[in-house]
Amino acid sequence: MLQQLGIGIAITGTGSAVPSAVLDNHGMSHIVETSDEWISTRTGIRQRRLAGADGSLKAIATQAAQNALDMAGITPMDVDLILLTTSTPDDLFGSASQIQAELGAAQAVAFDLTAACSGFVFGMVTASQFIRTGTYQTVLVIGADILSRWVDWTDRRTCVLFGDGAGAIVMQAHPENDRFLGFELRSDGTQSDSLTLAFQSHPKALVDGITVGQGTFQPIAMNGQEIYRFAVKKVPEVIEKALFRANLTVDQVDWLLLHQANQRILDAVAERLGIPDHKVISNMAKYGNTSAASIPLALDEVVREGKIKSGDVIAASGFGAGLTWGAAIFQWGR
Ligand code: ACO
């Protein structure tokens, strides 16, 4: 149906990359007062990857992107647009251009997009609009985050949750098929205090009457219970809305691909939607919550394992700080 409104879209490649250092829950218990039992039963997380002091977002994002291009069978010079979704760029002016240079994607325009853990879904939808209108043919959407830079490593309520990683997909104009079936995006800034990585400024007097604010970002602060309640209520709603727009029903969904925040959230959302466990994609046990990277990282894993077949219907949903949330319904493959 949507194809009548514009050009068809196919999802032709996935890729991912994670840092090599592994911190398991036992290791975490040497940093804060916690235990493998507490973390795994409350969250489903058993270990996470950490980028380390020399790690860069550019490195993991570029690797993920190159892997996605290889699967799609195209070269960096074929890419028209690179969308880097991240909250943790190497450079606040944006890291997408650095990735463009590293890939050698000289024809591509590149920019960052920030919507926290919803970033990847927001990025896919943004990419789809450029393709539908015929503006661009080939778009790389990357989700990458190094939240370990901004975690409060003394706060056991948050530091156990996060990990670092990157994932990417290639979205391409397709003359016959349309695989991007529907979406819905939402924001509610009135609840932004529930999850923050906020700039804190200290006054610096320049001349008489003029003081500027200088400072840095404060570590992640979260009201876990509020975020849990928000996710469990809003995510099923936004998926149902996106499915409605795609003219599909829940029983036509082959895979539920949620932002990998917490296994209990995944279970509760699946239950509310009536989606059985075997359709729920979950890899947070290995990587924790990798924010904008979690959806493409999990997608790449199941695609490479051969679990997802061409034409399978995927209901993806991101949710998180902002607050932001959204869903995209698409089919894997050409
Ligand atoms: N190890 C051991 N004990 C802990 C830990 C820990 N890592 N963290 C908290 N506790 C303790 C608390 O101090 C508290 O103890 P008290 O009762 O003596 O005060 C007790 O455990 C319960 O704490 P709560 O904060 O109430 O724990 P809750 O059951 O709510 O679980 C959790 C916390 C897992 C974060 C939950 O609120 C949740 O899943 N929230 C969703 C938020 C989320 O997933 N955020 C991810 C980032 S946001 C995003 O990606 C969308």
Side-chain angles (χ1 to χ4, degrees):
M1 191 175 80
L2 273 173
Q3 194 178 354
Q4 290 159 9
L5 303 174
I7 292 161
I9 299 168
I11 291 139
T12 57
T14 64
S16 61
V18 289
S20 55
V22 177
L23 178 66
D24 65 12
N25 289 348
H26 179 69
M28 194 60 89
S29 71
H30 295 294
I31 301 167
V32 287
E33 198 183 326
T34 190
S35 63
D36 176 50
E37 207 263 329
W38 195 97
I39 301 170
S40 55
T41 53
R42 302 265 180 149
T43 71
I45 297 164
R46 294 196 173 274
Q47 61 180 47
R48 67 286 294 145
R49 302 295 185 103
L50 299 177
D54 297 331
S56 73
L57 192 87
K58 181 177 81 173
I60 54 173
T62 303
Q63 186 61 58
Q66 186 60 60
N67 293 345
L69 293 175
D70 291 346
M71 187 189 287
I74 57 173
T75 71
M77 285 301 279
D78 297 318
V79 179
D80 302 312
L81 168 66
I82 298 171
L83 275 174
L84 171 66
T85 66
T86 188
S87 305
T88 55
D90 294 331
D91 185 327
L92 269 188
F93 285 148
S95 289
S97 305
Q98 297 165 358
I99 295 162
Q100 180 241 25
E102 192 75 5
L103 283 170
Q107 304 297 324
V109 63
F111 61 90
D112 293 24
L113 184 158
T114 298
C117 303
S118 311
F120 189 77
V121 169
F122 279 45
M124 278 188 93
V125 171
T126 304
S128 75
Q129 303 307 295
F130 282 111
I131 298 173
R132 281 259 185 267
T133 53
T135 310
Y136 298 127
Q137 272 71 54
T138 301
V139 183
L140 245 180
V141 186
I142 306 167
D145 267 307
I146 301 184
L147 281 179
S148 61
R149 289 172 174 169
W150 296 109
V151 158
D152 179 350
W153 287 100
T154 65
D155 177 7
R156 68 178 181 174
R157 290 166 304 150
T158 52
C159 73
V160 301
L161 302 175
F162 299 104
D164 304 333
I169 62 168
V170 177
M171 294 173 68
Q172 291 187 276
H174 199 286
E176 290 129 37
N177 286 333
D178 187 27
R179 304 292 210 180
F180 196 77
L181 307 173
F183 69 86
E184 177 76 9
L185 303 179
R186 310 285 301 174
S187 301
D188 179 5
T190 64
Q191 290 193 70
S192 61
D193 283 355
S194 306
L195 184 51
T196 56
L197 201 179
F199 180 74
Q200 187 169 32
S201 90
H202 303 289
K204 180 179 168 62
L206 294 183
V207 290
D208 258 3
I210 299 185
T211 302
V212 290
Q214 297 244 290
T216 184
F217 291 87
Q218 295 304 298
I220 294 167
M222 180 182 75
N223 181 329
Q225 288 176 7
E226 264 180 33
I227 293 291
Y228 182 88
R229 278 195 293 273
F230 146 72
V232 168
K233 180 169 190 303
K234 297 296 186 183
V235 172
E237 283 174 13
V238 83
I239 290 173
E240 277 173 345
K241 193 71 185 273
L243 282 169
F244 175 77
R245 293 192 189 285
N247 211 13
L248 292 173
T249 54
V250 170
D251 49 302
Q252 289 171 290
V253 172
D254 295 302
W255 300 101
L256 183 64
L257 175 56
L258 301 185
H259 164 51
Q260 305 284 298
N262 183 312
Q263 188 62 43
R264 291 197 305 183
I265 293 177
L266 267 61
D267 294 343
V269 169
E271 194 187 319
R272 285 196 183 194
L273 288 168
I275 293 180
D277 286 354
H278 69 269
K279 291 186 174 183
V280 180
I281 297 170
S282 172
N283 71 352
M284 82 193 65
K286 287 191 285 184
Y287 303 114
N289 176 347
T290 56
S291 197
S294 84
I295 289 176
L297 180 58
L299 178 64
D300 184 48
E301 222 170 67
V302 285
V303 166
R304 283 175 196 271
E305 284 167 3
K307 276 192 192 162
I308 288 191
K309 304 280 179 287
S310 184
D312 279 1
V313 173
I314 299 164
S317 177
F319 49 94
L323 299 179
T324 53
W325 64 105
I329 314 298
F330 60 93
Q331 288 169 295
W332 159 247
R334 280 173 206 278

